[in-house]
Amino acid sequence: MKIEEVKSTAKTQRIAAHSHVKGLGVDEKGVALQVAAGLVGQEPAREACGIVVELIKAKKMAGRAILLAGPPGTGKTALALAIAQELGSKVPFCPMVASEVYSSEVKKTAVLMENFRRAIGLRIKETKEVYEGEVTELTPCETESAMGGYGKTVSHVIIGLKTAKGNKQLKLDPTIYESIQKEKVEVGDVIYIEANTGSVKRQGRSDSFATEFDLEAEEYVPVPKGDVHKKKEIVQDVTLHDLDVANARPQGGQDIMSVMGQFMKQKKTEITDKLRKEINKVVNKYIDQGIAELVPGVLFIDEVHMLDLECFTYLHQALESTISPIVIFATNRGHCTIKGSDDIVSPHGMPLDLLDRIMIIRTSPYALEEMIQILKIRAQTEGIAIDEDSLQCLGDIGVKTTLRYAVQLLTPSYLLSKVNGRDVIHKEDVEEIRDLFHDAKTSARVLTTDKDKYLH
Ligand SMILES: Nc1ncnc2c1ncn2[C@@H]1O[C@H](COP(=O)(O)OP(=O)(O)OP(=O)(O)O)[C@@H](O)[C@H]1O
Ligand SMILES: [Mg+2]
């Protein structure tokens, strides 16, 4: 199995609407503060989510499922993302929307399987022989190109590494120079080079440079202790899906295909069941040998009522398997027909036998005061100035319709205020925008009153 060059394949999350959410905002005792980490109110649900986070960290949740249930705009998606933030980057979190399973190219269960594997982490610990230190010198040595002509090629690289204990100068192969460039290594960075494979890893900037002014956030690391040449325990966090992808890629050396490969980066290679089985076998062996440790992460399936009976059956069975993540569902549906069934009506549109093994966390509608607090936070995050009257007005709109609708009115209202030559939203702006853009309920009312004007 290939684990040297495993790249993370984590999905980028669609969080624009939730960028103000930084965590669950519960204290050490697990009590939710009224306003904290960008979240407002919804205290019981936040405390329940806090317990889920603790259980996940203590590895007591694998193979279990949670359902966030409540009316539209009550913060279900926001809570799931807050859980992800609390878990940090070491625990995999894979968000998906149920309708992603409907694709003409891939089977529904294959999509679910892929996302399951994105949510299962593996922490691999290996002791490797490395050269580690702060880079003191980085000199590529060029010679006339062997092909003749004007080109010059790098024949070798001289690199100086410094630790607290000593210095070492290494003469390295040009292929290593490529990985040094890929990692954007500069003098003053702390790196290590694996002795066997020659792969280079940049760990951060040496903290003796910590007073430099950088625009980008840099991670500063101390100058390593011990010798430059040593044995080092290297920890890699990957997901099973990362391993699937790394091993499915057509492998090969410097041939035409790999040159082409650079141009067709995102080329789809099929991950077969056979490959997955192979990988599971190796993973299990690693776990038995104590080299690797399983880190069950979270699969978040939003709008779960969009799944059909076939998917639910598959999920139910997958949850029973020994390697399973924690699954968090969310839905705003009450009683409705399960998709793909003739007419089985069930709570939340989910089969009863699956619901039966799920723990349900409820979210409830916000009071006016809470709506206003949330709108205020959203306005701040988006850099929108708004006066108290307009906030009150948007809050009222939110109570009558949904929080999401009220939040969505912020940006257009701000644009309108600018058109009107101001840079603060006034109540008139909000009212005008409210009349221009309908919410779902108003629109439905129009459809009923003007029924005969529409096509049927
Ligand atoms: N308690 C809260 N604190 C701060 N912001 C919140 C809170 N609840 C919801 N929001 C914000 O309000 C908006 C709507 O919430 P969200 O999308 O989470 O609702 P939802 O319950 O998932 O709705 P739906 O059922 O329609 O998917 C989002 O921008 C979200 O970040
Ligand atoms: Mg949602």
Side-chain angles (χ1 to χ4, degrees):
M1 181 170 64
K2 194 163 140 190
I3 51 171
E4 299 297 347
E5 291 165 43
V6 177
K7 295 250 158 38
S8 170
T9 53
K11 284 183 169 178
T12 43
Q13 301 178 8
R14 309 147 303 135
I15 52 157
H18 310 280
S19 53
H20 60 287
V21 179
K22 303 280 180 255
L24 284 168
V26 292
D27 67 12
E28 334 62 77
K29 292 204 186 93
V31 179
L33 311 167
Q34 208 266 330
V35 186
L39 286 183
V40 174
Q42 211 64 268
E43 286 92 347
R46 278 162 60 200
E47 287 172 11
C49 290
I51 295 174
V52 170
V53 168
E54 290 308 314
L55 287 172
I56 295 173
K57 283 187 176 160
K59 300 203 169 175
K60 300 230 168 82
M61 271 300 284
R64 293 204 209 196
I66 299 278
L67 171 66
L68 291 164
T74 49
K76 298 177 296 294
T77 307
L79 281 175
L81 296 178
I83 291 179
Q85 305 258 17
E86 294 286 342
L87 288 173
S89 59
K90 298 278 183 255
V91 180
F93 183 90
C94 172
M96 71 177 283
V97 179
S99 38
E100 279 174 39
V101 300
Y102 304 107
S103 129
S104 52
E105 287 163 33
V106 193
K107 276 205 308 197
K108 288 177 277 190
T109 50
V111 177
L112 283 174
M113 161 85 86
E114 178 184 319
N115 284 295
F116 249 76
R117 292 175 75 84
R118 283 178 190 274
I120 302 167
L122 199 65
R123 166 163 287 199
I124 304 165
K125 285 198 187 115
E126 283 172 296
T127 310
K128 287 187 175 162
E129 198 185 322
V130 297
Y131 294 92
E132 184 186 43
E134 178 190 318
V135 180
T136 52
E137 179 192 355
L138 188 61
T139 331
C141 299
E142 293 178 336
T143 49
E144 296 296 329
S145 168
M147 314 274 206
Y150 303 107
K152 284 197 172 164
T153 49
V154 174
S155 61
H156 61 271
V157 175
I158 302 283
I159 187 163
L161 290 177
K162 181 177 90 179
T163 64
K165 209 169 161 192
N167 288 301
K168 207 177 190 96
Q169 207 183 37
L170 308 169
K171 184 176 166 187
L172 301 172
D173 198 69
T175 51
I176 297 181
Y177 188 54
E178 276 168 32
S179 35
I180 287 178
Q181 281 175 316
K182 244 189 235 153
E183 290 271 299
K184 300 207 172 66
V185 175
E186 285 173 21
V187 170
D189 292 346
V190 174
I191 65 165
Y192 66 77
I193 305 170
E194 276 178 36
N196 289 330
T197 59
S199 74
V200 176
K201 175 97 177 98
R202 180 178 184 275
Q203 290 162 290
R205 190 112 188 112
S206 162
D207 62 6
S208 49
F209 292 82
T211 48
E212 273 179 2
F213 294 100
D214 275 310
L215 286 176
E216 286 162 273
E218 256 290 13
E219 192 171 337
Y220 291 100
V221 292
V223 178
K225 298 190 191 78
D227 292 315
V228 171
H229 185 186
K230 66 180 150 206
K231 289 215 179 345
K232 179 181 169 69
E233 181 168 87
I234 292 171
V235 180
Q236 261 201 97
D237 287 296
V238 298
T239 68
L240 292 187
H241 181 68
D242 295 339
L243 293 176
D244 292 347
V245 172
N247 289 283
R249 286 255 164 76
Q251 298 174 16
Q254 280 296 359
D255 56 11
I256 285 288
M257 265 319 283
S258 69
V259 176
M260 300 272 285
Q262 291 174 354
F263 296 108
M264 308 188 292
K265 254 202 185 119
Q266 281 306 308
K267 199 167 136 280
K268 282 244 160 91
T269 11
E270 205 186 351
I271 299 168
T272 56
D273 273 346
K274 188 166 160 247
L275 175 75
R276 289 198 173 111
K277 279 207 188 98
E278 286 294 308
I279 290 188
N280 283 358
K281 227 190 271 167
V282 182
V283 164
N284 281 328
K285 202 172 82 196
Y286 276 19
I287 295 173
D288 286 345
Q289 291 171 350
I291 300 171
E293 183 191 355
L294 213 54
V295 184
V298 174
L299 171 62
F300 172 49
I301 308 183
D302 211 351
E303 335 248 301
V304 64
H305 50 266
M306 290 301 293
L307 292 181
D308 65 7
L309 209 51
E310 187 188 344
C311 295
F312 282 124
T313 314
Y314 175 83
L315 273 179
H316 198 160
Q317 166 227 324
L319 275 168
E320 300 282 345
S321 84
T322 46
I323 320 184
S324 166
I326 298 103
V327 183
I328 300 184
F329 301 110
T331 180
N332 54 21
R333 296 302 152 100
H335 284 273
C336 64
T337 318
I338 302 173
K339 254 175 102 76
S341 73
D342 293 332
D343 50 5
I344 309 177
V345 175
S346 182
H348 310 298
M350 293 172 80
L352 279 178
D353 52 349
L354 180 60
L355 262 182
D356 210 39
R357 48 175 300 159
I358 289 177
M359 296 200 286
I360 300 177
I361 300 178
R362 294 221 139 261
T363 55
S364 29
Y366 295 107
L368 175 64
E369 212 28 60
E370 292 167 329
M371 292 256 181
I372 294 178
Q373 284 172 314
I374 295 173
L375 284 160
K376 212 173 188 168
I377 296 179
R378 254 334 278 180
Q380 263 165 15
T381 323
E382 291 184 38
I384 292 175
I386 179 166
D387 66 11
E388 287 299 320
D389 262 4
S390 319
L391 270 178
Q392 187 73 34
C393 174
L394 272 177
D396 285 332
I397 295 174
V399 172
K400 283 194 204 108
T401 60
T402 64
L403 172 61
R404 162 133 357 92
Y405 174 64
V407 169
Q408 278 174 343
L409 292 186
L410 273 172
T411 315
S413 304
Y414 190 48
L415 282 181
L416 189 64
S417 73
K418 284 206 162 150
V419 170
N420 291 338
R422 281 181 269 105
D423 44 18
V424 178
I425 301 179
H426 281 191
K427 202 173 160 196
E428 311 90 81
D429 306 322
V430 176
E431 280 166 347
E432 191 173 340
I433 291 294
R434 178 198 56 197
D435 296 337
L436 288 176
F437 298 97
H438 286 179
D439 69 290
K441 274 189 208 150
T442 316
S443 184
R445 207 162 46 234
V446 172
L447 288 185
T448 341
T449 44
D450 293 348
K451 205 166 27 188
D452 37 349
K453 295 196 186 125
Y454 288 86
L455 290 178
H456 287 281

